Amino acid sequence: MPLIKNGAPLQDPWFAVTGDEQLDRDGPLLVPLEIWQAHRDRLAGRVGPVGVRLASHQSPALVADDLDRLDLVALEFPKFTDGRAYSYARLLRERHSFGGEIRAVGHILRDQFAFLLRCGFDAIEVDERAAAGWQSATTAFSAWYQPATDDAASIPARRRYAVPARSTAAVIRSEPVTPRQPSPAEVAVCAATWAY
Amino acid sequence: MPSTAITANRLLDGAVIYLTADGGWSERLADAAIADGKDAETDLLAAAETQARAGTVIGPYAFKVEVEAGTPIPLGRREAIRTLGPSVRTDLGTQTATH
Amino acid sequence: MYRYDEFDHTFVTQRVEQFREQVARRISGELSEDEFKPLRLMNGLYLQLHAYMLRVAVPYGTLSARQLRQLAYIARRYDRGYGHFTTRQNIQFNWPTLSDTPDILADLAAVEMHAIQTSGNCIRNTTADATAGVAADEVADSRIYCEIIRQWSTLHPEFSFLPRKFKIAVTGSGRDRAVTAAHDIGLRMQRDADGNPGFEVLVGGGQGRTPVLAAKIRDFLPEGDLLSYLEAILRVYNQLGRRDNIYKARIKILVRETGAAEFARLVEAEWAHIRNGELRLPADELERIRGYFAPPLYQALDDACPELAAQRAGNRGFDAWVQSNVEAHKRPGYAIATISLKPHGGIPGDASAEQMEVVAGLADRYGFGEIRVTYKQNLLLPDLRKGDLFAVWKALGETGLATANSHRLSDIIACPGLDYCNLANARSIPIAQVISARFADLEREREIGNVTVNISGCINACAHHHVANIGILGVDKKGKEFYQVTLGGAADENAAIGDIVGPAFDEDRIAGAVETVVDVYLAERRGADEAFIDTYRRIGLKPFKEKLYAAH
């Protein structure tokens, strides 16, 4: 399955381990949580990158203490409607300061790419059909309303600091519009009645 | 054993449609292919589902009809309302069209 | 009211283009229906019994006259000349086509409207009391916080694929007119000892198969902590809410299975990490949003209006309408008027394009160009001068909008039911019509007083029948429509879930059953000042049950 990392297609160097007998292989190994838990010391001590794959019911809290030893955490989307991993990714980045690769695997639509990136995923396993829409999917919106894991300024932050939105479509002015403030006379008329 | 017909919604406009004998679709229940038995129903449904996968129709299913003087009548209130239109707005839905 | 800046305009425009492209991919076959369905739901497009249905967001029930006119235009151009207002203050169009929907959304964007997240497993329209900002008994204006929540929740990357739908309501008054107890999150505005605004936080209310009143998890949340706290609640729910069974996926199930105290602890633990982060609302940001909801240019008027008194004395119909549909305003000399979309024998909550235009015109001419959509599927003009009420009433009367039944028995909340909805088991609208026609006597309705009657066509309870004084649930028994009655529900600050009275009534007997219930109330009440719900609480279910089933 093709992989997109940091916006570019990539040959996946990781081997997805399915059984204990594969743990002798060289090169980067991606193991399911159960195998990590059963062979933790051996895997933690191996030469070469190691990663853990979490199913959607498996919280990253289960590997929180091991993150300094992991180079990759793969988070599963069994159906694209199962959105638990968005929270898991954010927690890995923001709570546990995980600096390795966070990869989305499973059933993913291109309409979710932007959400995945904003939550801290940097790699997404995609089918060709979805990969073809990468550019369009990740540039559909020039600004978002809320802060997330990525470092894009939210719309409220842009309003405060008068940062112009990067627009791919609409023609816009660069200064934010401030709402009309009532005149002192208007304020005086209303002041007595309003609590604020 | 009641007869059945196959219905779905048209992708582009959501209209209620019925599978016809030649594998096409019609907005008129009178044109619907009638299945008199489980095997016939299974065949019709399979044909409809193939078209659903191809993308022009949504959610085909079989429903019971009674054939009176050659005309299928839906059994069940839900299907009757679906065939005719909202009972509270008889000026809307297919009940307004001449059949 | 809030006005879009260029960020908002750009956002909705980009959203429309994204949906246009998704529709194209669906039509070309690149997207299957299974893949497309959640995407179209997140733009409010359902597939119903006869056609698609588009649910347009009316944020916290507030509309400008211009927006209402555009809704009328959409009804005419793309639909069949009418729209339906819902219990979550939105509007639904029942006959759009998939191919037209991107254009409809573009026409909505042109007037600062959208259909974002009006369906799907995401955060829905945050609703408020329709009299926010003008109610005489208000603690604070809830619309400010609703707008802040609206923006924060829009295309939130972490919370767009929740276990199930998520609904938030905010009330700014001690009188809860936003049904907060029946919402996934209910926020009740308070002030602390120093007068600072904040919220009592309730979680896990809901109706449907398992009606539950929300549990309080925090006594007071300062206003600046609103978004970080909501984020903590949603993050706990997103991770722990059940995904194995759609009937157990709402947050109410999680709160019940975890226990409210433990759930609160989980939220507080998460919140501790994020409360001082970027979601903290600084005072100047609150001020900025507050600025959009600054009061309009009210005139300095006397509260006494002899003109109004004379008009009432001279016209019984007008007097009845003022009694039932007009309520007190914060400002002296002003009034709030409910426009009933419940003509006796009519379809509850529907408005024709012509009616919408009349209301828009009245808002412009007599108000400040603003209209509200109420929880009871009515419209409301929030700022009328008392001296103008008569002219407004006459104009409403010419378009069938002057029924004097606000909060009365015939002010029925009804879901679309089996006439429109794919999920329904029974029709609800014809039952509403029959019942309201039976009680189509203004004297009698006034005599009965305020009582809530809600009719749902299936167990999903979209008409909120569980929290109605008289709740009616349509069921299908062996191909026939039957109606089950519940009594004693309440949707206000004394929220309660109604009690099932007994076996269901068939469609020919349900209106009679409601009459019987009313007769028992009238016979048992301690004077005309004791409202239906108070009599019920005093005497209980038994006297009603006895009379209802006496013949059988």
Side-chain angles (χ1 to χ4, degrees):
Chain A
M1 179 96 80
L3 190 67
I4 295 188
K5 183 165 179 182
N6 298 326
L10 184 72
Q11 267 294 91
D12 186 6
W14 289 79
F15 180 81
V17 168
T18 49
D20 300 357
E21 68 285 359
Q22 297 166 327
L23 298 182
D24 283 326
R25 293 174 68 109
D26 290 329
L29 290 185
L30 176 63
V31 303
L33 179 65
E34 297 76 11
I35 292 185
W36 171 261
Q37 289 170 329
H39 301 275
R40 192 194 167 284
D41 290 338
R42 174 185 173 185
L43 287 166
R46 77 185 289 266
V47 172
V50 65
V52 172
R53 179 177 174 128
L54 298 176
S56 61
H57 63 280
Q58 295 170 332
S59 162
L62 296 168
V63 294
D65 294 334
D66 303 331
L67 290 174
D68 55 346
R69 210 25 219 100
L70 294 173
D71 302 280
L72 165 67
V73 177
L75 301 175
E76 273 182 25
F77 290 83
K79 292 178 296 188
F80 77 97
T81 49
D82 183 337
R84 284 176 275 195
Y86 296 101
S87 289
Y88 295 164
R90 289 198 71 183
L91 291 168
L92 280 167
R93 289 285 185 232
E94 297 176 51
R95 195 62 40 81
H96 304 296
S97 306
F98 178 61
E101 177 181 318
I102 301 180
R103 178 185 295 192
V105 301
H107 187 204
I108 293 154
L109 297 187
R110 74 185 230 196
D111 312 88
Q112 298 169 301
F113 291 167
F115 292 151
L116 292 168
L117 294 179
R118 296 195 67 218
C119 287
F121 288 89
D122 44 4
I124 305 176
E125 201 177 75
V126 292
D127 63 30
E128 287 84 3
R129 188 183 51 141
W134 177 267
Q135 190 56 28
S136 139
T138 51
T139 55
F141 291 91
S142 43
W144 303 90
Y145 279 107
Q146 61 288 110
T149 305
D150 66 346
D151 55 13
S154 67
I155 288 173
R158 290 166 196 259
R159 286 172 175 146
R160 285 168 75 76
Y161 302 113
V163 174
R166 294 186 310 277
S167 171
T168 56
V171 174
I172 52 168
R173 294 190 307 271
S174 58
E175 300 86 30
V177 174
T178 43
R180 174 189 161 278
Q181 297 299 325
S183 73
E186 291 163 11
V187 171
V189 161
C190 300
T193 333
W194 294 92
Y196 48 85
Chain B
M1 148 98 207
S3 312
T4 57
I6 309 293
T7 185
N9 290 84
R10 193 158 49 206
L11 174 68
L12 285 181
D13 62 3
V16 175
I17 49 182
Y18 303 97
L19 185 70
T20 58
D22 60 1
W25 296 90
S26 170
E27 288 182 45
R28 288 156 34 99
L29 179 55
D31 300 336
I34 309 296
D36 287 314
K38 202 67 189 149
D39 291 337
E41 179 187 305
T42 306
D43 288 342
L44 286 181
L45 200 48
E49 276 161 359
T50 305
Q51 297 205 38
R53 276 189 298 277
T56 45
V57 306
I58 308 173
Y61 64 93
F63 68 103
K64 299 195 179 84
V65 294
E66 209 163 46
V67 182
E68 259 172 44
T71 313
I73 315 270
L75 287 175
R77 187 170 306 97
R78 186 177 184 276
E79 297 310 326
I81 291 174
R82 205 155 167 281
T83 300
L84 291 169
S87 70
V88 293
R89 287 291 303 264
T90 53
D91 57 325
L92 302 174
T94 42
Q95 55 208 338
T96 57
T98 48
H99 284 262
Chain C
M1 53 183 280
Y2 187 71
R3 287 190 308 282
Y4 279 16
D5 61 17
E6 87 280 13
F7 292 105
D8 301 307
H9 279 299
T10 303
F11 192 91
V12 288
T13 303
Q14 291 175 332
R15 177 60 164 193
V16 171
E17 289 321 300
Q18 182 193 49
F19 186 64
R20 200 181 287 282
E21 188 210 41
Q22 289 167 339
V23 170
R25 283 159 56 212
R26 173 71 185 96
I27 291 174
S28 76
E30 185 189 325
L31 279 175
S32 70
E33 186 60 20
D34 278 344
E35 291 169 334
F36 180 65
K37 185 171 169 185
L39 303 178
R40 68 166 159 78
L41 288 177
M42 285 194 272
N43 280 288
L45 191 63
Y46 283 86
L47 183 61
Q48 289 287 40
L49 220 47
H50 310 290
Y52 287 102
M53 182 272 279
L54 180 66
R55 181 181 293 147
V56 174
V58 181
Y60 40 93
T62 301
L63 281 169
S64 69
R66 180 167 172 251
Q67 290 171 331
L68 186 53
R69 283 196 187 91
Q70 190 77 329
L71 294 175
Y73 166 75
I74 287 168
R76 280 209 187 87
R77 171 143 185 213
Y78 299 102
D79 206 274
R80 303 205 183 173
Y82 70 105
H84 172 75
F85 292 97
T86 76
T87 54
R88 301 218 72 247
Q89 301 179 301
N90 292 318
I91 181 172
Q92 295 179 171
F93 294 108
N94 291 306
W95 309 89
T97 67
L98 177 64
S99 16
D100 279 344
T101 300
D103 289 339
I104 298 174
L105 297 182
D107 286 343
L108 288 169
V111 292
E112 306 182 16
M113 296 186 80
H114 60 75
I116 296 172
Q117 295 174 206
T118 53
S119 184
N121 293 337
C122 48
I123 302 169
R124 306 284 190 89
N125 187 26
T126 297
T127 49
D129 171 8
T131 59
V134 294
D137 61 359
E138 199 166 69
V139 166
D141 189 342
S142 53
R143 294 174 299 165
I144 294 154
Y145 308 97
C146 289
E147 177 58 31
I148 289 171
I149 295 170
R150 183 186 77 82
Q151 294 192 21
W152 161 81
S153 65
T154 299
L155 267 58
H156 194 302
E158 190 181 348
F159 304 134
S160 289
F161 295 91
L162 297 171
R164 201 74 175 93
K165 63 179 93 167
F166 205 91
K167 300 178 179 178
I168 303 175
V170 187
T171 182
S173 162
R175 308 285 318 282
D176 181 2
R177 294 179 286 257
V179 204
T180 57
H183 277 77
D184 298 291
I185 294 178
L187 298 167
R188 297 180 169 177
M189 298 225 60
Q190 316 271 322
R191 288 189 182 268
D192 69 8
D194 301 317
N196 301 309
F199 309 91
E200 182 187 351
V201 183
L202 312 174
V203 180
Q207 304 202 47
R209 258 147 240 269
T210 44
V212 174
L213 297 180
K216 177 163 70 173
I217 62 166
R218 191 163 235 273
D219 284 320
F220 187 80
L221 177 72
E223 61 173 359
D225 293 322
L226 174 64
L227 291 184
S228 59
Y229 201 79
L230 293 181
E231 183 126 322
I233 295 173
L234 266 299
R235 183 166 293 153
V236 171
Y237 173 57
N238 188 46
Q239 292 180 83
L240 300 182
R242 288 179 64 167
R243 294 181 188 255
D244 58 315
N245 178 343
I246 65 158
Y247 303 121
K248 306 253 173 181
R250 296 290 287 273
I251 197 172
K252 67 187 178 192
I253 305 294
L254 179 62
V255 172
R256 190 177 63 180
E257 289 181 351
T258 312
E262 171 63 9
F263 183 82
R265 194 196 65 74
L266 290 169
V267 171
E268 298 277 334
E270 174 59 33
W271 186 50
H273 292 287
I274 62 176
R275 64 185 292 181
N276 293 314
E278 220 186 316
L279 285 171
R280 176 135 184 77
L281 287 164
D284 60 352
E285 175 63 11
L286 285 157
E287 261 322 293
R288 196 185 70 82
I289 300 287
R290 206 166 269 139
Y292 285 102
F293 299 96
L297 299 183
Y298 292 119
Q299 296 174 330
L301 300 174
D302 286 332
D303 201 42
C305 187
E307 195 186 10
L308 173 63
Q311 286 158 340
R312 290 182 69 173
N315 189 314
R316 287 188 61 192
F318 175 60
D319 182 61
W321 183 78
V322 173
Q323 277 192 49
S324 57
N325 289 36
V326 176
E327 31 185 323
H329 193 289
K330 250 181 173 149
R331 295 280 304 174
Y334 283 83
I336 302 168
T338 293
I339 299 173
S340 171
L341 298 182
K342 319 287 179 69
H344 292 120
I347 299 178
D350 278 12
S352 69
E354 292 72 30
Q355 289 174 324
M356 293 184 212
E357 282 162 349
V358 166
V359 173
L362 291 172
D364 270 341
R365 182 163 175 200
Y366 296 106
F368 294 100
E370 195 173 309
I371 302 103
R372 307 288 177 84
V373 181
T374 79
Y375 162 64
K376 293 201 63 142
Q377 305 172 304
N378 289 320
L379 298 176
L380 181 148
L381 291 170
D383 295 304
L384 296 175
R385 292 179 310 180
K386 287 186 177 181
D388 290 331
L389 286 169
F390 188 64
V392 169
W393 172 76
K394 280 204 302 192
L396 290 172
E398 283 160 18
T399 353
L401 293 170
T403 315
N405 64 353
S406 177
H407 301 298
R408 305 281 200 237
L409 193 142
S410 64
D411 188 8
I412 297 172
I413 294 179
C415 72
L418 189 56
D419 282 303
Y420 286 99
C421 181
N422 248 334
L423 304 173
N425 293 123
R427 286 173 299 160
S428 51
I429 298 172
I431 304 304
Q433 291 175 304
V434 165
I435 292 172
S436 89
R438 285 266 189 124
F439 287 88
D441 177 327
L442 292 180
E443 283 299 327
R444 189 178 176 211
E445 284 206 271
R446 179 167 38 196
E447 172 70 13
I448 296 166
N450 288 357
V451 58
T452 58
V453 177
N454 300 23
I455 308 176
S456 299
C458 81
I459 207 161
N460 288 299
C462 296
H464 289 207
H465 65 278
H466 292 294
V467 292
N469 300 159
I470 302 174
I472 299 173
L473 169 64
V475 299
D476 179 296
K477 282 207 292 202
K478 301 198 184 113
K480 280 197 58 143
E481 288 162 312
F482 280 79
Y483 296 91
Q484 188 173 77
V485 175
T486 56
L487 295 179
D492 60 11
E493 62 279 3
N494 300 310
I497 291 170
D499 305 311
I500 298 175
V501 293
F505 300 88
D506 69 29
E507 60 183 298
D508 297 320
R509 283 198 251 273
I510 179 64
V514 174
E515 295 224 53
T516 302
V517 167
V518 169
D519 290 342
V520 171
Y521 159 64
L522 290 173
E524 298 289 333
R525 70 180 180 181
R526 283 198 184 135
D529 286 337
E530 191 180 59
F532 178 92
I533 187 63
D534 297 317
T535 301
Y536 183 85
R537 285 180 174 145
R538 182 170 54 79
I539 70 176
L541 179 62
K542 192 148 168 284
F544 295 95
K545 190 171 171 130
E546 276 169 0
K547 278 286 182 333
L548 279 168
Y549 299 102
H552 310 288

